[in-house]
Amino acid sequence: MSERQYKTVHFTLNGKPVEKNVDVRASLTDMLRNDFRMTSVKKGCEVGECGACTVIINGEAFDSCIYLAVWAEGKDITTLEGLMGPNGELADIQQAFIDETAIQCGFCSPGFILSAWEILNTGKEYTDEELRKLLSGHLCRCTGYENIFRAVKKTMLRRLGKEEEAEKVNEQGIVDTDERKPFASLDPTVQA
Amino acid sequence: MNIDNGYSAKGSSVIGKPLIRQDAHDKAIGRAKYVDDRCDQGALCVRILHSTVANGIVKSINTEEAEKIPGVVRVFTCFDCEKNYFPTPGHPWSVEKSHQDIADRLLLTDHPLYYGDDIAAVVAEDEVAAAQGIRALKDQVEYEELPFVLDVFDAIKEDAPLLHEKYPGNILAHTTINQGNYDEAIKEEGLIKVEGWYDVPTVQHCHIENFECFAYGEGDDRYVCVSSTQIPHIVRRVIGQALNMDWGKFRVIKPYVGGGFGNKQDALYEPLCVWLSMQLGGRCVKIDVPREETFVNNRVRHGERFHLISWLRKDGTLAARKYEAWADQGAYSSHGHAIAAKALNACPQLYPCDNFQGDAWTVYTNKPVAGAMRGYGMPQGSYAFEAHADDCARELGMDPLAFKRLNLMPVGFVHEFSHNELYSDTFNQCFDKGDEIIGYTKKYNEYKKPQTGDVRRGIGVATYWYNTAVYPIALETSSCRMVMNQDGSIQIQLGETEIGQGADTVAAQMAADTIGLTFDKCHTVSCQDTDLTPFGTGVYASRGTYTLGFSVRKTATLLKQKILDYAFELTRMQPYLLDIVDNNIIRKTDGRILMGIDELATTALYSLDHSVHLTAETTAHIKSNAYSFGACFAEVEVDIPMCRVRVLNIANVHDCGNVINPALAEAQVHGGMSMGIGYALSEKLLFDQKTGRPLNNNLLDYKLSSFMDHPRLIGDFVENYEPTSAYGTKGLGEPPVCPVAPAIRAAVAQATGCFINEIPLSPDLLFKKFVEAGLIEKEGGEANV
C-alpha cells in the first residue's frame, strides 16, 4: 500500500486566510468538517446527490463532497457559519428560512441556504420554474420544498424592492390556466 | 357550543399561534449539532461487511489480509459474537411474553437472510482504512449458498425456502377480521361485484441525515451511545437485551436528528456499536452508515399486495366486502405484522360494512427488513382502499366523491376495541374545504368530457383514517419534568423527541399556556439523555403532540400549584385566589398584579426563611386514542406520448383537532404530501431477481421527489376540537402522506381512462399501460417496453 500523501492548502475560509496540511485524497467536506469543525457542512450521500454539503467557492455553490480538499488552494470559501455578520446579524435568507418555517429537521438547510444565497446574489428575478430548477440540486424529505420556495422567492422579491409581491407569495397556491404543457417543455433534461 | 377545555377560557396567547420553532435559529446559522457533529475526532471508524448472498451460511471469513492494512484496528466477524437474539422495533416493551417483539437479530450473523446482511465489521483509525479493510475482506468469505425467495407469493408456496424455522410458510403472522356473514351476504339479489388487486412497492424513508451512532465507555463498566434515533429509551433497553446486560449500564443520548420518518424508530446499529466499543476497552467507535447502506441495511416500507372485493347495491351502498393482503416483511421481523394489521383494522372502520371478511398476512422474504415508516401501513392501505372505492364508483357510474361521502364512517361511529369515536362531520368538512380550495367539482365535471390531444388532465380525491398513538394495542405513557429557573423561566424535559417535526416547540407552547408564562420563558431541552430525561418511548404513531400534551398539562398544573402555594407565602393571598398571567402572579378577584414570576422564583430559590426549588415531574398513563382524518385533492396533467405525469395542483385538508402551531402543522403537511407524491409517481426500491441484490440504493437512481417534481403544496385544516385530548389536538405527523397516491392515481385515471392498480406511476409502467389501452402505439414489439 502506498504512503499517504499530504499537501498544504491555503485558502480563505469565511473571510479569514487559513492553511492546512491535508491528505490529498480528502474531500473538501472532510477538511471543512474535520479540520475546521465547520459542522454545518452536512454529509447526506457523499457522492453529490443530495446537496447537503454545499459550500460557496468563489461565489459559486458546489457540492463539497465531490470537490477535493486540495482544489481549495487559493479559493475563497464560505460555509453557512460565514453568512452571519460579526455581531450575530442574520443574512436576509437565513431570516426568511426561519420566518417561513422552511426549516424542519434542519439537515438540508445549510446547503439550501447557501445555494439560495448564490441565486439571490445574481440580483436577477427568476420565474418560479427557474427557481425550482436552480434549487433542484438539493433534496429535502421534511418540507416538500414549499416553504423553502417561499423563503427564497420572497427574499428575491424583497431584494428587488418588490415588497408587495413578496407578501403575496404564500397566496399563489393554485395554478389556474387552460394551457396544457407538454412535459418536454417543462423539463430541461428531456429532449423534445 | 361552549367548550370548556380548561385552558383557552382566557384566550390563549400561545396555543394556535404560528410561533417560530425553538431550534430554527440554530439550524439557520449552522450551529445545531447532530450525531456526527458531536463525535470526537479521534473516534474509530466502523464499516460493515455485508453478505453477497441473499440466503446462505457463512462457513468462514479469513480476516488476515484485512488486519494487515495499516490503520485497521480490529476485524470482528459473526463468529466473534454470542448468539444472543434480540428484538429491534421501537415498541414499548411488553411484560407479557406473548406480546413481546420477536427476537430474531444478532449483532453480526453467520446466516445472512438477505443480500447485504451484516456478517463482519472492520474497525479502523479512519474511514479510508475501514473501507480498505472491507475490500480486503470481501473475497475472503466462504458461503454455503441457499435458495432464496424475493416475492411474497413465491414465499408462501410449499416448496419455498424457509427463512425462520418457527414461522412455517414464511408467515410471520396472519390476522383476520370477520364481521357479519360474508358468504351469506353476497347472495343478496342484484349485487354488483367489484374486484381488484392493488400493489404498492418497497420504498425507503430517505431522511437526509443517514443513521449514525457512536459509543464509548464511561465510568465503571457503563457505555454511552450517541445516536440519531427517535426512541432513546427504547434503544437503551434493546442494547441491554442485545448484550444481555443490565439496561441501566447504558446511556443513550439523542442530539438533533436529521429526519427519522420511522426508520429511526428501530434500534439499528446501536447494539453493535456499543459491543464494538466494549471489545476495544471502551474506546470511542462510530458507525456512520453510507447512503447506499441506509437503503438496504436500515429499514424500508413494506411493499404490499391487496386483493379487495366489494359487493355493491345499486344505490351505492356496501353489502359485503372481502379483504386480503400480503405484506412483504423482508428478512427479519422488526415491527412485523403491526403494519399489515393496522391497514386491515382500518378498512372496515373507514368504510363500515355489516359483512366484512378480512385477512392479512405478513410474509418473510430474502429482502431488506421492513419496519415503521410514516403512515405505518396506512399509505399502503389508503392506496388500496381508495383506488378500490374509485373502482366501485366507476362500476356504479357514480361520482367517486359521492360514493365516498355515502359510505365513509358516519358521525357517531365508535370503534369498540379502541373506543375511538368520530365526533364531527369531519370527512364532509374536509371534502368541502378541499373542493373549495382546488375547485374539484367544477374540474371533475370539465375533465369528464372526452379529451383529445397528447396532454390531458384529470382530478382525483382520496381520504384516509389514522389512529393517533398506539393505545390500546400497546402502552401509552409520557413523562415530563419541569424545572423553574431563578428568573421564572422553565426548562421542560420529555421523552418525546424532536426529529424535525416541531415537538419541542409545541411542548413549550402548551406549558406556557397552562402555567401562564410567555412562550419565551419556556425552553424545551431538545436533547434526550436516558441518564437525565424522564422515561418516554419517543416519537412514532403520530403520538408526539397528543401524548406529550397529557404529561405537559399534568406537570404544568402541578408546577403552577407549587408556584401559587409559594406565592401565598409572599403575598398572603390564598392560592385559589391567585393565577399566573403573562409571567405575573395576579389576584383573580380584582385582576391586580401582585408580583412578577421572576421575583417569586428568585426569592423561592434564595430565601433564607424558606428556600424551595420549584420543580415538577409527572407521568401520564394514557388510555385514550383519537381518529385523525383528512383528504387529498390532486389535479394532474398527463403527457401521454411521454408517459409522464405532472401534478398541477394539490391540496391536503386535515382534521388533527385543535392546531397548536399552524405554521409547523402546515409544514408537516407539506412534507407528507411530498413523500406521497414520490410514492405515487417515482419511488421504488428495485432488486435483481437473480441475486436479490438491490439495484437502485442511491439518491440518483431512487427517485424521491425533487424541487422540480412539485407544484405549490397547499395544506389546510378543519379544526374539530378533540374531546379526549389535553389540548384538543391529535395526530398529524404521518397522516399527510396517506391519501396522496390514491388521489393522484384517480386523477391519472380520469385524464387517461387507465385505472392503474400499482404505483409508482413511473414512465415505464405508464408506457405499458398506455400501450395496453391503445393510447399509444407500440412500435417494434417488446423491445420498447
Side-chain angles (χ1 to χ4, degrees):
Chain A
M1 192 182 132
S2 59
E3 287 273 307
R4 285 192 176 191
Q5 291 177 40
Y6 291 89
K7 197 174 170 186
T8 303
V9 284
H10 313 74
F11 61 106
T12 306
L13 177 58
N14 296 329
K16 203 177 109 189
V18 292
E19 62 171 56
K20 203 83 203 175
N21 203 28
V22 293
D23 189 321
V24 295
R25 301 165 303 180
S27 70
L28 181 57
T29 304
D30 289 338
M31 177 171 74
L32 292 173
R33 284 187 61 83
N34 301 341
D35 298 323
F36 293 96
R37 298 305 283 151
M38 294 292 133
T39 55
S40 76
V41 184
K42 297 298 182 205
K43 297 190 293 179
C45 67
E46 297 189 76
V47 286
E49 293 160 355
C50 76
C53 64
T54 298
V55 299
I56 305 278
I57 303 174
N58 291 354
E60 208 178 329
F62 279 89
D63 287 334
S64 65
C65 69
I66 48 172
Y67 192 100
L68 283 176
V70 293
W71 295 346
E73 180 63 35
K75 302 290 196 312
D76 183 359
I77 296 178
T78 305
T79 67
L80 186 62
E81 286 88 345
L83 229 54
M84 194 166 68
N87 302 310
E89 314 92 322
L90 297 190
D92 53 359
I93 187 63
Q94 288 174 302
Q95 192 60 50
F97 265 65
I98 294 172
D99 294 341
E100 297 304 322
T101 325
I103 296 170
Q104 289 191 42
C105 85
F107 208 76
C108 72
S109 308
F112 258 121
I113 292 173
L114 288 174
S115 273
W117 183 249
E118 181 206 14
I119 293 163
L120 294 166
N121 286 349
T122 63
K124 289 185 194 157
E125 183 170 358
Y126 294 102
T127 64
D128 290 2
E129 293 297 335
E130 285 169 338
L131 272 186
R132 286 184 181 281
K133 188 186 167 196
L134 287 165
L135 290 163
S136 65
H138 297 265
L139 294 172
C140 170
R141 197 58 146 170
C142 297
T143 66
Y145 311 101
E146 172 64 24
N147 290 351
I148 294 172
F149 179 80
R150 292 180 190 177
V152 178
K153 187 171 177 184
K154 277 189 181 178
T155 309
M156 174 184 81
L157 292 168
R158 284 185 181 133
R159 282 197 185 185
L160 296 167
K162 300 184 174 183
E163 187 59 39
E164 268 180 41
E165 282 180 52
E167 285 308 309
K168 287 180 191 150
V169 166
N170 293 17
E171 298 160 16
Q172 300 158 349
I174 293 281
V175 178
D176 199 7
T177 161
D178 287 335
E179 189 200 349
R180 291 170 195 225
K181 292 183 182 169
F183 202 86
S185 72
L186 299 165
D187 185 347
T189 62
V190 174
Q191 297 297 312
Chain B
M1 190 180 66
N2 213 353
I3 298 172
D4 178 12
N5 54 36
Y7 76 85
S8 61
K10 60 181 185 286
S12 176
S13 58
V14 279
I15 301 271
K17 299 287 184 292
L19 300 173
I20 302 284
R21 47 184 304 142
Q22 292 196 335
D23 52 9
H25 185 264
D26 275 357
K27 288 175 175 177
I29 65 170
R31 189 162 64 190
K33 300 287 183 205
Y34 300 77
V35 171
D36 197 54
D37 308 335
R38 285 185 165 217
C39 188
D40 194 282
Q41 290 300 288
L44 299 172
C45 296
V46 178
R47 289 297 299 270
I48 292 162
L49 180 67
H50 302 290
S51 75
T52 53
V53 300
N55 190 12
I57 306 291
V58 179
K59 306 301 283 181
S60 68
I61 303 175
N62 184 347
T63 61
E64 225 170 90
E65 290 304 313
E67 277 168 338
K68 276 186 205 156
I69 291 168
V72 168
V73 175
R74 285 273 290 279
V75 178
F76 297 92
T77 73
C78 48
F79 305 110
D80 297 319
C81 311
E82 269 182 56
K83 280 208 169 167
N84 179 40
Y85 292 91
F86 58 93
T88 64
H91 294 146
W93 187 237
S94 175
V95 289
E96 292 169 41
K97 205 159 173 51
S98 62
H99 286 123
Q100 289 173 359
D101 292 312
I102 297 168
D104 62 0
R105 297 307 296 267
L106 293 170
L107 298 172
L108 298 165
T109 183
D110 64 345
H111 186 166
L113 287 174
Y114 69 95
Y115 192 108
D117 211 341
D118 310 326
I119 58 173
V122 174
V123 186
E125 281 163 10
D126 57 49
E127 286 173 35
V128 177
Q132 287 171 336
I134 291 294
R135 269 201 296 280
L137 268 186
K138 260 184 186 155
D139 303 331
Q140 303 295 319
V141 185
E142 190 192 344
Y143 296 101
E144 177 192 333
E145 285 194 48
L146 298 170
F148 61 89
V149 60
L150 301 178
D151 180 82
V152 286
F153 286 146
D154 291 336
I156 56 178
K157 284 179 187 159
E158 251 180 50
D159 57 350
L162 190 63
L163 274 83
H164 299 276
E165 268 177 32
K166 285 184 202 158
Y167 298 92
N170 288 316
I171 292 172
L172 189 163
H174 168 210
T175 49
T176 58
I177 296 179
N178 278 307
Q179 281 170 204
N181 189 332
Y182 175 83
D183 293 328
E184 279 304 310
I186 64 172
K187 293 175 187 163
E188 186 180 321
E189 242 174 75
L191 294 181
I192 302 160
K193 181 186 178 186
V194 180
E195 181 172 6
W197 284 87
Y198 307 91
D199 284 10
V200 292
T202 296
V203 297
Q204 219 268 338
H205 314 68
C206 297
H207 33 70
I208 304 302
E209 181 202 28
N210 289 309
F211 172 77
E212 179 168 352
C213 65
F214 62 90
Y216 53 92
E218 184 179 68
D220 185 15
D221 199 25
R222 290 192 80 219
Y223 294 87
V224 182
C225 182
V226 180
S227 175
S228 181
T229 183
Q230 300 170 223
I231 50 165
H233 278 96
I234 290 178
V235 165
R236 178 180 65 170
R237 180 254 299 168
V238 174
I239 294 171
Q241 291 174 322
L243 305 184
N244 205 11
M245 286 168 65
D246 292 344
W247 304 353
K249 284 195 179 288
F250 304 102
R251 174 181 176 192
V252 175
I253 297 173
K254 183 235 74 148
Y256 281 119
V257 169
F261 310 112
N263 190 32
K264 297 171 183 173
Q265 193 207 339
D266 236 289
L268 296 167
Y269 283 119
E270 295 96 335
L272 177 64
C273 193
V274 172
W275 182 78
L276 289 170
S277 172
M278 210 177 268
Q279 305 313 304
L280 295 162
R283 291 169 78 185
C284 185
V285 167
K286 129 172 139 173
I287 299 183
D288 181 1
V289 180
R291 177 61 63 182
E292 293 73 13
E293 295 175 31
T294 295
F295 273 102
V296 183
N297 305 109
N298 285 189
R299 300 293 177 265
V300 296
R301 190 194 286 290
H302 291 73
E304 197 162 344
R305 308 187 77 175
F306 294 86
H307 179 212
L308 305 179
I309 302 172
S310 291
W311 297 82
L312 306 160
R313 299 189 187 92
K314 293 213 167 57
D315 64 359
T317 55
L318 300 164
R321 303 192 95 185
K322 189 170 185 176
Y323 174 118
E324 291 174 296
W326 296 262
D328 186 346
Q329 180 53 52
Y332 298 100
S333 65
S334 177
H335 284 250
H337 190 57
I339 282 97
K342 180 150 189 161
L344 170 63
N345 290 333
C347 187
Q349 293 180 53
L350 188 64
Y351 289 101
C353 175
D354 291 339
N355 302 288
F356 179 89
Q357 185 180 315
D359 288 90
W361 293 266
T362 296
V363 182
Y364 288 115
T365 61
N366 294 103
K367 294 222 293 276
V369 183
M373 180 169 164
R374 193 179 203 162
Y376 212 75
M378 288 319 299
Q380 295 97 313
S382 303
Y383 173 78
F385 309 159
E386 290 300 275
H388 186 66
D390 288 334
D391 291 349
C392 290
R394 179 170 52 134
E395 205 65 45
L396 290 161
M398 244 177 122
D399 177 309
L401 187 52
F403 176 81
K404 290 173 191 187
R405 287 186 196 261
L406 176 68
N407 286 298
L408 279 164
M409 179 190 286
V411 179
F413 179 92
V414 179
H415 183 234
E416 272 178 45
F417 179 63
S418 66
H419 310 295
N420 272 348
E421 184 171 337
L422 174 53
Y423 297 98
S424 316
D425 195 14
T426 292
F427 285 110
N428 287 320
Q429 291 165 359
C430 290
F431 287 146
D432 292 344
K433 193 160 194 178
D435 191 349
E436 197 183 311
I437 291 168
I438 207 164
Y440 172 82
T441 306
K442 182 176 158 273
K443 285 173 175 168
Y444 178 79
N445 289 324
E446 188 190 325
Y447 300 150
K448 213 162 59 172
K449 295 171 197 157
Q451 297 184 51
T452 53
D454 286 349
V455 182
R456 300 181 195 176
R457 285 184 183 178
I459 192 162
V461 55
T463 186
Y464 70 91
W465 162 106
Y466 205 83
N467 233 16
T468 308
V470 299
Y471 176 83
I473 306 272
L475 170 71
E476 268 307 353
T477 179
S478 174
S479 298
C480 176
R481 178 187 300 139
M482 292 181 190
V483 176
M484 182 155 268
N485 304 308
Q486 295 96 318
D487 62 352
S489 62
I490 59 164
Q491 257 74 270
I492 305 160
Q493 283 186 296
L494 285 156
E496 283 78 9
T497 46
E498 172 64 63
I499 57 169
Q501 82 284 47
D504 288 353
T505 307
V506 298
Q509 287 179 264
M510 292 169 174
D513 189 272
T514 295
I515 301 170
L517 300 175
T518 51
F519 178 63
D520 60 307
K521 294 274 185 198
C522 301
H523 315 289
T524 308
V525 179
S526 197
C527 171
Q528 273 76 14
D529 176 335
T530 55
D531 270 14
L532 307 171
T533 310
F535 180 84
T537 52
V539 287
Y540 49 84
S542 300
R543 69 190 287 277
T545 309
Y546 185 73
T547 55
L548 71 78
F550 294 104
S551 65
V552 166
R553 180 136 173 207
K554 196 172 172 184
T555 310
T557 304
L558 179 62
L559 181 65
K560 183 174 185 172
Q561 193 55 51
K562 289 185 179 184
I563 295 167
L564 295 182
D565 287 346
Y566 198 82
F568 167 70
E569 298 184 27
L570 302 181
T571 66
R572 295 172 290 104
M573 294 297 118
Q574 294 299 332
Y576 54 77
L577 297 177
L578 301 174
D579 198 358
I580 306 169
V581 176
D582 290 343
N583 311 327
N584 288 311
I585 307 292
I586 62 150
R587 188 163 59 197
K588 285 195 279 191
T589 39
D590 60 357
R592 180 182 291 180
I593 294 173
L594 302 183
M595 68 188 304
I597 195 98
D598 47 354
E599 187 190 344
L600 179 139
T602 310
T603 309
L605 206 64
Y606 296 116
S607 169
L608 295 175
D609 296 327
H610 179 206
S611 170
V612 295
H613 189 194
L614 292 164
T615 67
E617 179 167 347
T618 72
T619 296
H621 185 180
I622 298 134
K623 298 189 175 189
S624 62
N625 198 328
Y627 280 136
S628 264
F629 303 108
C632 173
F633 291 78
E635 182 185 5
V636 303
E637 208 162 68
V638 185
D639 184 325
I640 291 169
M642 292 293 289
C643 301
R644 298 297 289 259
V645 177
R646 175 182 164 225
V647 181
L648 206 56
N649 287 303
I650 189 162
N652 269 33
V653 182
H654 292 276
D655 182 356
C656 62
N658 195 29
V659 175
I660 307 297
N661 186 320
L664 293 181
E666 187 194 14
Q668 275 296 104
V669 174
H670 293 156
M673 292 170 77
S674 171
M675 199 178 266
I677 291 171
Y679 198 46
L681 296 177
S682 57
E683 293 183 40
K684 184 179 190 177
L685 203 50
L686 301 166
F687 298 91
D688 177 20
Q689 297 303 305
K690 290 190 186 111
T691 59
R693 185 172 65 86
L695 294 172
N696 60 339
N697 50 325
N698 61 72
L699 292 172
L700 273 188
D701 299 320
Y702 179 92
K703 300 293 186 189
L704 65 117
S705 294
S706 81
F707 227 121
M708 297 187 69
D709 302 312
H710 284 188
R712 297 293 296 271
L713 304 176
I714 301 171
D716 214 325
F717 299 92
V718 164
E719 291 184 65
N720 288 308
Y721 195 90
E722 170 58 37
T724 65
S725 171
Y727 294 90
T729 186
K730 54 190 177 180
L732 182 68
E734 297 162 280
V737 70
C738 299
V740 178
I744 290 175
R745 181 252 190 198
V748 171
Q750 199 192 24
T752 63
C754 294
F755 285 75
I756 300 167
N757 290 351
E758 57 186 294
I759 46 174
L761 299 170
S762 50
D764 56 325
L765 176 67
L766 291 178
F767 177 78
K768 210 168 84 183
K769 297 292 177 183
F770 290 169
V771 167
E772 279 171 20
L775 285 173
I776 46 180
E777 276 180 42
K778 186 173 165 186
E779 294 164 25
E782 290 299 313
N784 272 342
V785 179

